């Protein structure tokens, strides 16, 4: 197994390995790389659905079926992210997966089935590095703050439709996921790193702050996280795999490929502590 770092703190490509046949020693080394680099990339991985699910289970218990995204007919824990002719991708946002639920996921494993010849990259951001670069005064302020995370951007999206009563299915299901209040700064449960645990899609406000001041402060922090020095960018190829630590990163899918056919399968692992 060859691990090639792609940045100082974020991202590594792993070669000379078959994810469907990992020994215990190989998985132990891979897991340490996952914690160290936060997102790992692999090429030419011929994973069956069973292989994909089995790999995810080595990281922990799987998330239940996603309440909005489509999934494979024979396995509801495998989300299908697909673009087809006449069905372009929805608007993309920087986000950390599912921070609108009580315990956000630990990690996800995304496997490319087929991708456009050009475009469709994904960028990840190291939110521990963003936090580390803040001033001591900023850190002292932010440690005292809570944020509100809530569903956003699924209503009216490609994942929404009207039920028999003419009501948005997403809006009705969203009632099961009321806004969540959580500390802005989280300590990673395994590495001990402090993380600025906010994201542009689901972090809606700073708790107990006036709306204008809240949005202004969040915008400043989001702008900090948009700096390329915190990022790693991955060019997808058929059968590529990405595994990322959802507790320490956010990511952004670049939708620059129109409605060119693109299909990826995602399996997500439950979080191991309330954040």
């Amino acid at each position: 197994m060859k691990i090639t770092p792609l940045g100082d703190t974020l991202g590594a490509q792993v070669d000379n390995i078959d994810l469907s046949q990992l020994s215990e020693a190989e998985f132990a080394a891979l897991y340490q790389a996952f914690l160290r680099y936060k997102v790992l990339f692999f090429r030419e991985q011929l994973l069956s659905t069973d292989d994909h699910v089995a790999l995810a289970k080595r990281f922990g218990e799987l998330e239940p079926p996603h309440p909005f995204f489509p999934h494979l007919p024979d396995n509801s824990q495998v989300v299908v992210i697909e673009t087809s002719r006449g069905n372009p991708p929805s608007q993309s946002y920087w986000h950390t997966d599912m921070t609108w639920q009580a315990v956000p996921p630990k990690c996800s494993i995304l496997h490319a089935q087929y991708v456009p010849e050009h475009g469709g990259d994904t960028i990840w951001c190291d939110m521990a590095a963003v936090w580390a670069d803040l001033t001591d005064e900023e850190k002292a302020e932010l440690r005292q703050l809570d944020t509100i995370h809530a569903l956003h951007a699924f209503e009216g999206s490609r994942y929404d439709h009207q039920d028999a009563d003419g009501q948005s299915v997403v809006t009705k299901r969203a009632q099961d996921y009321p806004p969540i209040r959580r500390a802005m700064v989280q300590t990673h449960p395994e590495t001990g790193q402090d993380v600025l645990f906010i994201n542009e899609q689901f972090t809606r406000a700073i708790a107990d702050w006036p709306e204008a001041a809240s949005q202004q402060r969040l915008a400043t922090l989001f702008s900090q996280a948009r700096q390329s020095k915190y990022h790693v960018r991955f060019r997808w190829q058929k059968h590529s795999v990405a595994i990322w630590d959802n507790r320490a990163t956010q990511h952004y899918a670049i939708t620059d490929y129109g409605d060119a056919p693109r299909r990826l399968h995602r399996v997500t692992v439950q979080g191991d502590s309330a954040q």
Side-chain angles (χ1 to χ4, degrees), residues 105-135:
K106 173 182 180 179
C107 64
S108 286
I109 302 176
L110 195 58
H111 184 216
Q113 308 300 299
Y114 50 81
V115 296
E117 184 176 351
H118 302 289
D121 296 359
T122 304
I123 305 172
W124 278 263
C125 177
D126 183 349
M127 296 303 289
V130 174
W131 167 258
D133 276 356
L134 297 176
T135 67

Side-chain angles (χ1 to χ4, degrees), residues 245-264:
D245 191 335
N246 198 60
R247 303 164 296 185
T249 63
Q250 58 174 316
H251 56 280
Y252 179 84
I254 301 175
T255 55
D256 58 352
Y257 52 94
D259 63 352
R262 182 179 187 264
R263 182 181 174 107
L264 301 97

Side-chain angles (χ1 to χ4, degrees), residues 116-180:
E117 184 176 351
H118 302 289
D121 296 359
T122 304
I123 305 172
W124 278 263
C125 177
D126 183 349
M127 296 303 289
V130 174
W131 167 258
D133 276 356
L134 297 176
T135 67
D136 289 343
E137 291 77 11
E138 289 174 313
K139 290 177 180 177
E141 175 201 18
L142 299 183
R143 285 189 188 279
Q144 306 302 313
L145 302 180
D146 289 343
T147 52
I148 304 299
H149 293 244
L151 278 165
H152 172 58
F154 293 130
E155 294 87 348
S157 74
R158 59 190 299 191
Y159 304 113
D160 196 7
H161 64 274
Q162 291 185 341
D163 62 15
D165 298 325
Q167 296 184 334
S168 162
V169 170
V170 167
T171 300
K172 291 179 72 173
R173 290 180 183 170
Q175 295 174 8
D176 295 330
Y177 301 94
I180 296 290

